[in-house]
Amino acid sequence: MKSGKNILLLVLVLALASCGVDAYMKKGDQFYAIGEYFDAAEQYKKAYANTPAKERDTRGKRAAKLADCYRRINYSQKAIAAYNNVIRYNKADSLTHLRLAQQLMKTGNYKQAEKAFATALDSLPNSTLAKNGLRSAQMAATWKREGSQYVVKRADVFNSRRADYSPMLSGEENDRLYFTSTRNQTKGDELSGITGTKTADIFVSLKDEKGKWTKPQTIDTELNSDFDEGACAFTPDGRTMYLTQCATDATYPRYATICTSQRNDASWGKSTPIELTKDTLSSFAHPAVSPDGQWLYFTSDMPGGEGGLDIWRVRIMSDGHYGGVENLGKPINTEGDEMFPTFRPNGDLYFSSNGHQGMGGLDIFIATMDSTGRKWQVEHPGYPLNSEADDFGMTFEGLKNQGFFSSNRGDARGWDHIFSFYNPEIVQTVTGWVYEKDGYELPAAVVYMVGNDGTNLKLSVKGDGSFTQQIKPNVDYVFLGTCKGYLNHQQQLRVEPVTESQDTVLQFPLASIMAPVLIDNIFYDFDKATLRPESKTSLDELVKLLNENPNVTIELSAHCDYKGSAEYNKALSQRRAESVVKYLIEKGIAHDRLTPVGYGKEKPKTIKKRVAEKYDFLKADDVLTEEYIKSLKPDEQELCNQLNRRTEFRVLRTTYHLFDNSGRPRK
C-alpha cells in the first residue's frame, strides 16, 4: 500500500513539473512573439533546465529557442553553448551551424568558426553569408595582425555600467555629443523585456571652454519617454532631430519607428512618429540625414530588400513630407543585416554589416561613389576600427577622419560602449568667411562651389558666417558668396598636393545694396584729385566686384573733412570722384554704370558698430559733424577728420542691361 502511494506521489510530481515547464514555454513564446527576447530567454532557460536529460528531442528543441534569444541579445558565449546543445541533441537545422559560426566569430574563436562555416556550407552551398563567413574566419587573424592607421581608445567620460552607443556630434563647433544609454538615470522604472536593462534614453555631453567633455546629462524635456529612444541624427541646420523609438505593447510585436523632434532655442520637443510608407508590419530605425539635407537614410526589414535588415533612403520634401523610398541595393546590402548608416561630412556613407566579409559581429564599412556618381564602392577599414565584436554608430568631428563610434568589444555581457577614433589621413580643406564689407558676419549667406572635376555644391554658412569644405588638389574651384541685400563676391582656388592636412582660408566681404560702402585705402595727392599708386589695389578689387555683378550701376562718391570752404571742398571731391571713375573706365567698366558725385563735407560719416569697437571714444550711430568733432580732444579730432575723408560707392540699380528698350528681358 505504501509503495503504491509513492508511485502515485511520483506521478503527481512529474505531472506538476510538466505543467510548470509547459507554462515556462508558453510564457517564453509570448515574450518572443512581441520581441522581448531577454524575458523569453529567462523562460526558455527554466523550461530547458526542468526538462529531463532523457527527453533529448525536447531538450534539443528548447535549446534552439534559447540559442536564438541569446543570439539576439548579444549573449554570445551563452548562445554558443545553446547551439552546441542543439547539435548534441541532433536537432540542428540548416541554419544552426551558420548561427553557431557567427557567434564564434563574435568571440574571436576564428578556428572553430571556420569549421562551423564549412559545415554550414554543406547544407547551404549557395549561401553568400556562409561563403563570406568562411572567408572572414580564414582572414580575420591576418587583418588583425596587419592593422591600419586608425587609433582607437575607449571614451570613458561617456560610458556607464550599462550600454552606451550610437554617438552623434552636433552644434556648429561639434561641442555637443548625443548618445543612447540604458544607465540608471533613464526615465521609467521597468526593465526592458528586450535587453533586461532599463529602457534606452538619449543623453548629451557638452564640451566646456577648455575643450573637455562634461558628465553626460539627461535631456530634461519630453523628448525621452518611458519607451526606448535612441540612435539619433540631425538635419544640417541642427534644428530637427530624427530618432528611433520602440514602444511597448504586451499584445503586439515590437516594431521600431522613426520620429522627429524640433529644437526650440536650446530645448528639444516631444518626438512625433513619421510615416515613410504605409507598411505597419516592418521596423524603421537608425535614421541618418545626408550632408545636403535632401535624403533620410534608415534601416528596415520591409519587403523588397536583399535580406535581413537593409539600408534604404527616402527624399525629404520641402513641405515636410517624404517621398520615393529606395533600397540602396548591392553592393551595400546583403543577405545579412546592414544597419546604423551615418555620413562623414565629405559625403562618404558609413554603415555596419554582418553580411560582408569582416572580423565578426557587425563591422563598419565605408561606401563611396565611383567616378560616374552612380555606383557605390564598399571598403572595409580594417582593425582596430573593427574587431571581433559589434562595431557601429560612427560620428565625425569636422572634416578630419576622427570622432566617436560604439562597440561591445571586451564586454562579456555584450553591452556597448563609446570609443574615440582617429585616422591621420591627409585632408585638404577650405574655410570661408562671409561678412558684410566693413561689418559683421552674414549667417544667412549661401556659397556656391563649382569645380572642374564636376563639383557643384550649395553651401550654407554657420552662425559666425563661416563654412568649411573638403577640397581636392589639382582641381580648379570657383566660390561665389551670396546673400540677399548684398552684391556677390567670387573667389577662385586651386591647391597642390601636400604631405600633411592643410586648411586654406578665403574671405568673402559682401557689399551692401542698401547702404554706402567704404573703399579702403584710396589716397590722393595732397589737395589734388590725382590718385596715388597705392590706391590701385583697392580699385582693382572694385573692378573685380563690378565684373562679378554685371547688372549693377553705382554712384562713386568722394568726401572731405570740414576744413576749407564748402565750395572748394565740393569741387575737389567731385574731381576726385571723377578720377576714380576714369580709372574704372580704363579697366573696362562701362561709363554708363558709373556716376561720380563729390559731396565735399555735406555728408559726414555715420559710425557703424564695427568701427566703434576700434575706438573707445566713438559709439555706433555717431555722426561726425564739425560740431561733434570740435568737442573732442585734438588727436581724436584728427582721427575723425581722417574718417570723413573717404571714397565710397552706393548701388543705384541692379537691373543694368537686364531689359531691352521695350522693357522685355534680354535673352
Side-chain angles (χ1 to χ4, degrees), residues 200-238:
D201 278 352
I202 297 174
F203 286 73
V204 63
S205 176
L206 306 179
K207 190 180 286 187
D208 64 20
E209 295 177 353
K210 297 181 179 179
K212 301 293 184 181
W213 290 102
T214 60
K215 182 180 178 181
Q217 302 292 325
T218 57
I219 298 177
D220 192 21
T221 66
E222 292 185 286
L223 174 69
N224 291 313
S225 70
D226 290 341
F227 302 136
D228 283 297
E229 282 91 17
C232 63
F234 302 92
T235 52
D237 63 7

Side-chain angles (χ1 to χ4, degrees), residues 575-590:
R575 294 198 308 274
R576 287 179 169 178
E578 290 171 354
S579 293
V580 173
V581 166
K582 180 182 177 182
Y583 182 88
L584 299 178
I585 292 172
E586 289 173 352
K587 291 294 183 176
I589 304 301

Side-chain angles (χ1 to χ4, degrees), residues 74 154 161-162 407-417:
N74 278 333
R154 182 163 159 147
R161 296 183 178 182
R162 297 292 185 268
S407 175
N408 58 14
R409 63 185 69 183
D411 194 297
R413 297 159 298 186
W415 288 347
D416 306 304
H417 302 288

